[in-house]
Amino acid sequence: MFDCCARVSCSVSCMKRHSKNVALKLKELQLNSHLSSCDITQKGYEKKRAKLLAPFVPQTQNVVVSIKLTPGLSSDPTSNPNAIPVAAPRQHRAHRSGGTRDDRYRSDIHTEAVQAALARHKEEKMALPMPTKRRSAFVQSPAENCTPPDTSSASEDEGSLRRRQAAISAMLAQNLQSPEYWINRSVQSSSTSSSASSTLSHGDGKTHNHSQGQTSVLADVLAHTRIGTSSSVPPDVTSTVPQDRNSRVDLPPNITVRGMNRGQSRSSMMDTAGGVPAHSRVSTKIQQLLNTLKRPKRPPLSEFFLDDFEEIVEVPQPDPNTPRPEGRQMIPVKGEPLGVVSNWPPALQAALARWGATQAKSPALTALDITGKPLYTLTYGKLWSRSLKLAYTLLNKLGTKNEPVLKPGDRVALVYPNSDPGMFWVAFYGCLLAEVIPVPIEVPLSRKDAGSQQIGFLLGSCGVGLALTSEVCLKGLPKTQNGEIMQFKGWPRLKWVVTDTKYLTKPSKDWQPHLPTANTDTAYIEYKASKEGTVMGVAVSKISMLTHCQALTQACNYCEGETLVNVLDFKKDSGLWHGVLTSVMNRIHTISVPYSVMKACPLSWVQRVHVHKARVALVKCRDLHWAMMAHRDQKDTNLSSLRMLIVADGANPWSVSSCDAFLNVFQSHGLTPEMICPCASSPEAMTVAIRRPGAQGTPLPARAVLSMAGLSHGVIRVNTEDKNSALTVQDVGHVMPGALMCIVKPDGPPMLCKTDEIGEIVLNSRAGGTMYYGLPGVTKNTFEVIPVNSGGTPIGEVPFKRTGLLGFVGPGSLVFVVGKIEGLLSVSGRRHNADDLVATALAVEPVKTIYRGRIAVFSVTVFYDERVVIVAEQRPDANEEDSFQWMSRVLQAIDSIHQVGLYCLALVPANTLPKTPLGGIHVSETKQHFLEGSLHPCNILMCPHTCVTNLPKPRQKQPVGVGPASIMVGNLVAGKRIAQASGRDLGLIDDQEQSRKHQFLSEALQWRAQTDPDQVLYMLLNAKGVAVSTATCSQLHKRAEKITAALLERGGINTGDNVVLLYPPGIDLIASFYGCLYAGCIPVTVRPPHPQNLAATLPTVRMIIDVSKAACILTTQTLMKILRSKEAAGCVNVKTWPNIIDTDDLPRKRPSNIYKPPTAEMLAYLDFSVSTTGMLTGVKISHSAVNALCRSIKLQCELYSSRQIAICMDPYCGLGFVLWCMSSVYSGHQSILIPPMELETSLPLWLSTLSQYKIRDTFCSYSVMELCTKGLGTQTEALKARGVNLSCVRSCVVIAEERPRLALTQSFSKLFKDLGLSPRAVSTAFGARVNLAICLQVGPYFDFGLLPSGHEIPPRGAPQSLPLMESGTILPGMRVIIVNPETRGPLGDSHLGEIWVNSPHNASGYYTIYGEESLQGDHFNTRLSFGDTETLWARTGYLGFVRRTELLDARGDRHDALFVVGSLDETLELRGLRYHPIDIETSVSRAHRSITESAVFTWTNLLVVVVELNGSEQEALDLVPLVTNVVLKEHHLIVGVVVIVDPGVIPINSRGEKQRMHLRDSFLADQLDPIYVAYNM
């Protein structure tokens, strides 16, 4: 049923056109709905009303309002043709429900403007992809903590809502009738795509009905259209690099076999949507995002840059069409002289003494109880006597006579609740009489109060050590368990003094307070919060306080004995100046209406005016608004006694609509337009200007209708064309008596503005603050400003005070204020007012979405400019669709009206934003939460693509010629040496006999078994550090022979067959390897499947077995059972396994003979590995390569038979396998083997082994190092106590096929230096598929930086550079050269290019099912295009550079350091620059404490960042802006999609390397189960 409280507003301009008959019928209809709420439904009411208004609706469609400086509202609302439309006097009243809009910012003209702006977007409708959210990530807001009517709460004029709804419905209706819509409809109906793409994103499977938000429906339709009808590559919208990459075949499960040209890339595998269903939800949404991003950005981008050293940042060129001020320079404006009145007191205390003595029974203050009824009245006699008692007690009864706690001039905090003005008055005047300085502050409610720490800063800077409070308040303060008052965060230690009358001492007869004439000593300190949230104390001197009271008395024409109703906070601002100070000076009776009463009865202040026949009321816009909302045609209310209704925040441009609406409602109750007196004030200058009360019938001052575009450029332009972007401003009267006002430029030196220019108001007056107490540096810039003229010469010697108000002086010296400095957002050289943006956001139908109109607007600095952020509280019952629709409409409205892009729009649960003491939003604290990632939004929309317009155009690739002429295009820089380096010579072996024995590794083992049978080569440790098995030379040889016999007997294999070795890390693996060599088979080591995760790991095993065409599998009994289990049968076809041989039970036979290969060039083994790009690559390693590699490692690491090394890494591929299985047999040293999985049960195992066996050289993987760093970082003291000492370690080498992880190695070194680890011990190795070991670090290393452009190396520490570490010393026998991968020409020293290698231990080629010879030639036997064109090189596929250092090597030559930067396959080509994933990931991981891991990849040139969240799912949305910010700041890239997932989702291979392509495939196939996916606009 239609609620009887529902109200309808009809604008005055509309009512004007109705005939009297229709108006009467409308009134009758409204009255009926009032009287019989049960007889008429809302629908019925709307129907009847629409019928009555129907003949007039077309006339109201296109009304052109002429806009000029318009006179204000006259007493007859119909007489002014240009008045702002206001609410009709009789209205249905809505419940003040959670979602209503804050009408303090309401203007019907502005609402129309917003609707017009939204309508304009109907042709270019943005198809915004809805974010995907896991259901558990939805946060229910604490709705029971209801927010009272406050500075940021409001109810809604339903009529204006209906008008807005009608406008938006019309817009949607037009959209739906457009031809494009019908085409899309037909496409959708014929499409096979999942229609649940948007409903699925809600996390449940409920079917949504047709009444759902049309935005996302249309968005999905558009997306399906694009994807469903075209199989071509999606358009590249963010890069100018042509897409010429071929697609790549993908084998199941998401692993590719190496067999493609390096120039090709996987990226386009998904570009054709071939790898996932074309209509998958993720692909659809990304396509929607691309469609949205195709819209051109507003500011044109400058040409791309070519110069490497040019600044990255785009400097915006001044627009020649920018409006500029054209007026003459302003002349300072003088207020009328401050009149000298004979009976004005010499000081405020003297006025109180006078009234206390002569008018003791006269009422000074009436306080109200919670119901709004008078609680007590304090007379001037009582106020005087109690203040005297308090002054006497403070000076004489605290401490001893010789050591008083307080002396005159000390600062004292006043902590009193808003509901107890009487106690505050007594405390304030008591302090003035005792000549101590009161510092009124808010009552702290908890340790976590918003801004509490800043209040502590204020108390500290003012040197406050004592706090006065009431007994009731003291009991309510938070206490510790001992009953002591809690130490608030950031506060100094305070002594608390209770000032209730029963605790005060009557002064002795001989004691009299000192009542000096007002001087420049500080009287009190008023707190003020800056834009950044810092709280400072504005000191007000005694003479300033008195002068200000005199100026207010003259301006407001206060008379003795008047009554004043005060709704404002009496501790500061106008509430203190009028309601506590000026009222006592004039013996005024103040009725104080506390905030708690306003919550319960918003009309209470109006009733007090009526009951007490008050002459003056002191309110804010919110009080006008709430009184108007609560008004129910109270015929007995009469406001005709008022002569002044002072609107304290009349300086807010949006106050005009509240004043008009209030006047419209209460005009019939005796309120006249002359009574409304807006004023402007600031803590520093106190009252700046106030409209004087006018006589009945005097013409009202004009209003300015200003162009918002002009305002953003700081100039005044009367808006005559586009009413949609107009701001109507009312004046705040004239300058205060005795003051001098100037308008100066807000930035730079205080230069006088021109008459048509907006600037900061500065004031010279005796009334005003004197300084920020205890902060002399900041004081000078604010309180001692001397304006200068255009020539730079000062206009005089008198200092002015900055007010923080932006405005201008209009005709007749009227002051207009258009905003505040603290609400100013400077974006791309234009200024926007936060309040204006709030007003626009509130005009976008927030009823379903926003909780009580609570919206905060602020700016954050990202990428060298301010970016606008809007945060709003979402209603508890708002659904995702409505919220997202509201956000997208706000984007469009602000873009149209203010011409500024939003960077971020966030919705948080209701009642979760930090509050100010009176319930408003604490903006600076909200901003802090946003930047720290502790805001916990429930919906977020980032729009970096539209608002970050200072990125330059992408770099263009320059054409490159091939051949000797390449020197001309910068491939080789003239005068630079070619970037090549080599390790030392392998040298010749003198003993020819030994050389023959060592030609094959199998012979080396046989030789060792004969010559030194009992030497222990291997020792395997378990989790407890106990050797579970060892292998001497003889034992290893014999076990290898048994395996050979088993192979020949059970396997029935032939020479040259491939045999898979499937073992856990241990000695069985080593014995099987040599058993295969003895049998003439080719071993292929494969990581065994994980028993708990067969579905993910077994298919890879199966693939390697199939690709390698293995004749049989050697394994353990346990693994054999797993391979044949039911669980395995669910993943792969177990019936087609090759012959499986269990080596736990071997025959006792020996083979008749041991195979010896005819030539060293024959294959020794196959090395299979899954690369970081998800490619399964098998390389062929010959016997000669094995021999050369083992010899090279022996020379580099100085390995010989008496040495021990420790290995803690997986032994399945690359250099790890060589060190685990081969190196000891070749060099004769002992290897202590530590399987990495044992560290999961005993983390200190590796480090304690190094200490126990005094190991000099150890080898590990990054995953082991990371495990120790994260797990043992805090346990170094415990390890030291257990006797772990790492001082023996000379080199700890990390084995990897990637760039050195500098941050990890440095962290490891720093953490364990307390255990004796040398800071230079940790180093890295580097290998690639074409050559398993290129560098192996022993000795010192270097670190440098690199720029993303990938050319010349910048100076160390240069901005935007990346820190790099040398990748290791180049192995003996190795030659390295840096080559341009496109021209294949050599590059100069320190230039980035592909690393090519030439070495005896290069791999022989790829082992592939395709057998593409061209690929072998390209990667393993390739030549330079010019220079040394004879040498055959292998291409590693990694980018890097060689840099010559000052260090000398063993030969006396300067050391050439090799720096590996990253894999060519993984580089991201974005905006014409080359980026490496690891760099972006390092930045992302630093963005928030809850990010454990991250990975990046690109999809259709959008950068996708996947982040693992280790924390509450509520934090998921906090990460979206932080990730976007850090990538933009550090890499100058805009993130397209942010995906938040659970820990462990990012796939990692055995070497600890991220499998980014697997991750990408899973994301696009919608298999990640993300917590949240944000699509940045």
Side-chain angles (χ1 to χ4, degrees), residues 999-1003 1082 1155-1164 1181-1185 1187 1404:
Q999 192 177 10
F1000 303 107
L1001 212 52
S1002 51
E1003 291 186 340
I1082 313 299
Y1155 176 78
K1156 181 182 176 182
T1159 163
E1161 298 311 314
M1162 287 191 69
L1163 210 53
I1181 310 292
S1182 67
H1183 287 283
S1184 63
N1187 199 41
S1404 311

Side-chain angles (χ1 to χ4, degrees), residues 3 57 168 190 229 307 351 431 555 612 627 657 675 778 985 1037 1164 1282 1397 1405 1472 1501 1526 1534:
D3 189 340
V57 170
I168 289 175
S190 64
T229 56
D307 184 23
C431 288
H612 293 274
S657 52
M675 294 176 187
V778 198
D985 293 335
H1037 169 63
R1282 282 171 51 183
V1397 292
N1501 286 292
V1526 77
I1534 294 176

Side-chain angles (χ1 to χ4, degrees), residues 719-927:
N719 189 311
T720 54
E721 297 161 8
D722 183 9
K723 67 169 187 173
N724 290 340
S725 57
L727 180 68
T728 304
V729 192
Q730 66 179 349
D731 69 279
V732 287
H734 291 91
V735 187
M736 288 296 284
L740 185 65
M741 178 189 283
C742 290
I743 313 288
V744 300
K745 291 186 187 288
D747 311 313
M751 189 180 291
L752 285 177
C753 288
K754 294 181 177 173
T755 50
D756 61 341
E757 192 172 4
I758 302 285
E760 184 178 7
I761 298 172
V762 294
L763 208 64
N764 166 257
S765 165
R766 280 175 69 194
T770 51
M771 61 176 167
Y772 291 127
Y773 198 93
L775 302 168
V778 198
T779 294
K780 192 167 178 59
N781 295 337
T782 304
F783 292 91
E784 299 167 26
V785 175
I786 297 182
V788 296
N789 59 27
S790 54
T793 52
I795 61 165
E797 293 178 4
V798 289
F800 284 72
K801 298 177 186 71
R802 289 187 182 273
T803 64
L805 300 174
L806 293 168
F808 61 96
V809 178
S813 297
L814 286 172
V815 180
F816 289 85
V817 176
V818 295
K820 292 183 179 177
I821 290 275
E822 63 184 38
L824 204 60
L825 313 173
S826 291
V827 183
S828 304
R830 294 176 61 201
R831 304 201 290 253
H832 304 275
N833 194 314
D835 283 338
D836 299 346
L837 296 177
V838 169
T840 300
L842 280 170
V844 185
E845 194 186 8
V847 164
K848 295 179 187 171
T849 313
I850 303 306
Y851 181 70
R852 294 185 174 267
R854 291 174 62 80
I855 296 182
V857 175
F858 52 86
S859 64
V860 292
T861 305
V862 182
F863 196 65
Y864 310 101
D865 201 358
E866 294 290 300
R867 314 287 175 196
V868 181
V869 178
I870 294 185
V871 181
E873 288 188 1
Q874 179 176 291
R875 281 186 56 158
D877 56 346
N879 66 41
E880 293 284 297
E881 197 84 23
D882 288 341
S883 300
F884 191 72
Q885 198 170 27
W886 181 80
M887 291 198 288
S888 53
R889 288 179 173 190
V890 168
L891 283 183
Q892 294 166 7
I894 288 179
D895 185 75
S896 285
I897 290 173
H898 303 276
Q899 281 90 50
V900 65
L902 287 189
Y903 180 65
C904 177
L905 189 51
L907 295 178
V908 299
N911 277 314
T912 54
L913 287 181
K915 292 180 183 174
T916 60
L918 290 183
I921 296 173
H922 200 295
V923 177
S924 60
E925 197 94 345
T926 301
K927 178 177 175 177

Side-chain angles (χ1 to χ4, degrees), residues 1303-1381:
L1304 180 57
T1305 53
Q1306 286 178 346
S1307 300
F1308 183 82
S1309 301
K1310 285 175 188 168
L1311 281 173
F1312 298 110
K1313 73 170 190 290
D1314 293 345
L1315 300 180
L1317 183 67
S1318 160
R1320 305 304 265 180
V1322 180
S1323 57
T1324 59
F1326 170 63
R1329 294 284 74 207
V1330 296
N1331 190 307
L1332 302 183
I1334 296 166
C1335 301
L1336 195 61
Q1337 181 70 56
V1338 179
Y1341 65 82
F1342 301 87
D1343 49 350
F1344 288 102
L1346 178 75
L1347 286 174
S1349 56
H1351 292 285
E1352 193 72 44
I1353 311 307
R1356 187 170 175 175
Q1360 305 305 327
S1361 64
L1362 312 167
L1364 295 176
M1365 181 168 112
E1366 184 184 355
S1367 295
T1369 305
I1370 296 168
L1371 279 168
M1374 171 73 61
R1375 286 176 63 198
V1376 171
I1377 191 165
I1378 307 299
V1379 178
N1380 182 322

Side-chain angles (χ1 to χ4, degrees), residues 441-498:
I441 59 169
E442 306 301 335
V443 178
L445 300 175
S446 72
R447 220 179 123 67
K448 291 185 178 174
D449 272 7
S452 167
Q453 197 168 349
Q454 280 77 21
I455 292 286
F457 172 76
L458 164 78
L459 298 176
S461 65
C462 294
V464 174
L466 190 81
L468 306 185
T469 189
S470 65
E471 190 169 28
V472 176
C473 185
L474 190 75
K475 283 178 182 170
L477 290 176
K479 312 276 194 309
T480 61
Q481 289 177 337
N482 310 334
E484 296 172 8
I485 288 167
M486 191 179 281
Q487 178 66 27
F488 298 106
K489 192 177 176 185
W491 283 37
R493 291 214 163 271
L494 294 179
K495 285 185 179 173
W496 293 83
V497 176
V498 175

Side-chain angles (χ1 to χ4, degrees), residues 1023-1055:
K1024 294 177 181 173
V1026 177
V1028 283
S1029 65
T1030 56
T1032 62
C1033 300
S1034 168
Q1035 288 168 336
L1036 185 62
H1037 169 63
K1038 286 174 182 171
R1039 183 155 179 80
E1041 283 188 320
K1042 287 179 184 176
I1043 287 170
T1044 305
L1047 270 172
L1048 298 171
E1049 186 180 296
R1050 297 184 204 165
I1053 58 160
N1054 302 314
T1055 303

